Amino acid sequence: MKMWKKYLAMAFCLCVIFVCMLPVRAEENMQLMDQAGLLTEAEAEEINARLAELEARTGWELMALTTDDAGGKDATSFAESWFDTYTAGDDGVICAIDMDNREIVVRAFGEAMYYITDKRAERILDAGYEEVSEEKYAAALQEMLQEVENAYQYENAGQNHLYDEDTGEIIKYPDRKSITLSEILIALGLAVAAGGGAVFGIFGKYRLKFGGYKYPIEKNGHVQLTVKEDRLVNSFVTRRHIPKQQNSSTGRSGGGSRSTVHSGSGGRRSSGGSRKF
């Protein structure tokens, strides 16, 4: 009886601990943090839904942040630190409105750096600047996130490169892993073994012998050839000049672009930019 009460007490304690941890875990998993209190509840729900949609589409971690106390840091450093603290993945983007420094910020990490180039960062800041200047904070974040989606959809990341302003290093988009010679030989060996096993299994099952049976194709075969001619009567060739165009609404272009990156306080590289308002 005493042992039963002991187990019951332990189970109760574990339940209490689990319930107490739920608010902390929920806060850590928040994609949106409105520290400055700039958003209504409805606006926050819409932005959270937008962030979840972009995460599902890109595979990145997407965050939005407002703050009125950057803790003595500049807007860029605060956004980078926030992303480092509250994300576990390597790839992602954070859009922030810093009321303390009066600045809007976008920072991209990991794979996203090849999409958020210098030009794309300017487009993102352009999209949010007018709205935030008119104190339309939810609209500013939504417009910035829309430009992040445009970058993912239209940017040719494989042609872009990073420029590390701290070291001067130029980093190209990582190539997909190629198949080595040893991997080809191993795969070929496995294929031969599997095919050979199947062939000899059939011969063994039906007790077939090489050279034991011949098919008289001369007696049983029949071929009839016919002649058919096609005559070219006439032909026409039409040529058109199609001018190259650039999509002004998305900023799509055929050439590669540069992302200027630096290492933040956490040691992670990021691209992007900021703008005072």
Side-chain angles (χ1 to χ4, degrees):
M1 190 67 178
K2 291 183 179 180
M3 187 64 67
W4 179 81
K5 290 183 178 180
K6 181 179 179 180
Y7 287 139
L8 183 61
M10 291 176 61
F12 177 76
C13 292
L14 289 174
C15 290
V16 171
I17 293 172
F18 178 75
V19 171
C20 292
M21 289 176 63
L22 284 178
V24 177
R25 293 180 63 84
E27 183 178 347
E28 289 180 350
N29 291 330
M30 286 286 289
Q31 297 160 305
L32 167 67
M33 182 57 65
D34 183 23
Q35 285 188 331
L38 304 179
L39 310 174
T40 65
E41 184 176 348
E43 290 171 339
E45 289 179 359
E46 290 178 359
I47 293 174
N48 264 320
R50 184 73 170 118
L51 291 167
E53 177 189 349
L54 287 178
E55 283 195 345
R57 181 172 186 182
T58 62
W60 304 338
E61 294 194 62
L62 272 294
M63 298 191 73
L65 168 69
T66 75
T67 185
D68 54 4
D69 183 6
K73 296 181 179 179
D74 60 76
T76 297
S77 297
F78 187 80
E80 290 171 339
S81 298
W82 189 271
F83 190 90
D84 285 339
T85 302
Y86 293 100
T87 58
D90 296 326
D91 312 317
V93 177
I94 183 170
C95 296
I97 299 175
D98 186 339
M99 301 300 291
D100 189 6
N101 293 291
R102 302 293 296 179
E103 208 163 345
I104 54 175
V105 184
V106 58
R107 300 305 300 177
F109 301 80
E111 182 191 46
M113 293 188 295
Y114 292 93
Y115 291 84
I116 309 302
T117 62
D118 295 345
K119 293 180 180 179
R120 286 289 175 182
E122 287 301 313
R123 292 177 67 88
I124 294 170
L125 296 174
D126 287 341
Y129 179 77
E130 183 176 352
E131 302 290 355
V132 78
S133 299
E134 297 177 359
E135 300 183 356
K136 299 177 181 178
Y137 303 112
L141 290 174
Q142 290 281 21
E143 291 295 330
M144 293 173 75
L145 292 173
Q146 179 59 54
E147 284 300 327
V148 171
E149 181 179 16
N150 288 343
Y152 176 77
Q153 183 174 359
Y154 297 109
E155 198 64 41
N156 190 342
Q159 292 186 0
N160 297 338
H161 66 276
L162 310 181
Y163 169 72
D164 192 322
E165 63 181 2
D166 298 327
T167 64
E169 182 182 5
I170 294 177
I171 308 162
K172 296 183 178 180
Y173 189 83
D175 294 330
R176 294 182 178 179
K177 184 180 178 182
S178 58
I179 300 175
T180 63
L181 178 60
S182 59
E183 291 173 336
I184 295 175
L185 293 176
I186 291 172
L188 183 61
L190 292 174
V192 171
V199 170
F200 284 105
I202 293 173
F203 274 99
K205 182 177 180 180
Y206 296 99
R207 297 180 181 178
L208 299 177
K209 295 181 179 180
F210 292 101
Y213 175 77
K214 294 183 178 180
Y215 181 80
I217 189 172
E218 297 84 357
K219 297 180 179 180
N220 299 330
H222 177 71
V223 179
Q224 182 178 358
L225 302 177
T226 59
V227 178
K228 182 179 180 181
E229 295 182 356
D230 293 327
R231 296 183 178 180
L232 178 63
V233 178
N234 207 342
S235 64
F236 300 91
V237 178
T238 303
R239 293 183 175 87
R240 288 184 59 196
H241 174 68
I242 303 177
K244 295 182 179 180
Q245 295 181 352
Q246 180 171 333
N247 191 324
S248 59
S249 62
T250 60
R252 177 191 291 181
S253 60
S257 298
R258 184 178 83 169
S259 295
T260 302
V261 303
H262 73 263
S263 298
S265 57
R268 296 176 63 181
R269 286 191 176 110
S270 67
S271 67
S274 64
R275 186 178 299 173
K276 290 283 187 180
F277 62 89

